[in-house]
């Protein structure tokens, strides 16, 4: 990402903070390079176990030129967070899935900069592009189906 693209992503993300200037200050001065941001204002986040999330992202990258923002959190059990339109978290049902929507907060790393436990796999483009929930669901089903076939190779005969 270029510097101007990173700045656009910073501004887009910080705009959801109760105090955008404090958010930017936190990103700049916090040694972890992260800030807590509220979900449910411009985006929700669907959170998957890492294995399913990585496989889903692989499928999604074949379906669209550039997916919406995706985070990787590696604290405890690794998970991926797919940024989706507001309201998606309230409607999403999935085994092993979590959803962050209105009333929840997530740890968000500074765009374009490596941080400790959380990092961007797909950095926000700053324009508001999000992952399409229908395509994301399709990608998850395909990824889960592939994982299931690998786990049961004898059934494919």
């Amino acid at each position: 990402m270029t510097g101007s693209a990173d700045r656009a992503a910073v501004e887009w993300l910080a705009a959801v903070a109760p105090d955008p200037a404090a958010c930017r200050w936190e990103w700049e001065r916090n040694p972890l390079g992260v800030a807590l941001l509220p979900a449910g204002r411009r985006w929700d986040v669907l959170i998957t176990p890492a294995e399913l999330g990585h496989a889903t992202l692989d499928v999604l990258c074949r379906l669209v030129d550039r997916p919406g923002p995706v985070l990787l959190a590696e604290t405890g059990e690794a998970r991926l967070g797919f940024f989706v339109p507001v309201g998606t978290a309230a409607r999403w049902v999935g085994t092993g899935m979590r959803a962050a929507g209105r009333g929840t907060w997530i740890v968000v790393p500074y765009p374009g900069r490596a941080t400790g436990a959380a990092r961007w796999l797909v950095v926000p483009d700053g324009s508001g592009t999000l992952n399409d929930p229908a395509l994301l669901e399709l990608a998850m089903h395909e990824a889960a189906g592939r994982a299931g076939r690998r786990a049961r190779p004898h059934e494919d005969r």
Side-chain angles (χ1 to χ4, degrees):
M1 248 187 151
T2 65
S4 63
D6 287 343
R7 282 190 296 279
V10 166
E11 294 307 316
W12 180 75
L13 287 165
V16 302
D19 182 346
C23 175
R24 288 187 298 273
W25 186 92
E26 185 73 17
W27 269 329
E28 292 293 330
R29 288 162 186 84
N30 181 324
L32 298 176
V34 298
L36 276 176
L37 292 179
R41 290 191 178 173
R42 285 195 178 176
W43 35 260
D44 288 354
V45 182
L46 297 179
I47 304 163
T48 68
E51 185 176 348
L52 175 60
H54 284 293
T56 298
L57 183 56
D58 288 344
V59 173
L60 194 58
C61 285
R62 288 194 300 275
L63 297 174
V64 296
D65 289 336
R66 185 184 191 282
V70 181
L71 277 176
L72 171 63
E74 297 182 294
T75 55
E77 185 180 328
R79 296 194 167 270
L80 269 68
F82 293 84
F83 281 52
V84 292
V86 171
T88 304
R91 297 184 306 271
W92 196 270
V93 178
T95 303
M97 301 281 298
R98 296 181 192 166
R102 188 174 184 87
T104 62
W105 294 72
I106 64 166
V107 173
V108 178
Y110 189 92
R113 186 183 303 155
T115 63
R119 64 185 168 94
W120 291 103
L121 296 180
V122 179
V123 179
D125 63 9
S127 73
T129 300
L130 298 168
N131 290 291
D132 177 285
L135 284 177
L136 185 58
E137 183 177 15
L138 176 69
M140 282 182 189
H141 284 291
E142 185 174 328
R146 288 179 182 180
R149 286 189 297 275
R150 282 193 304 273
R152 299 180 308 274
H154 63 281
E155 292 178 15
D156 291 338
R157 293 181 195 165

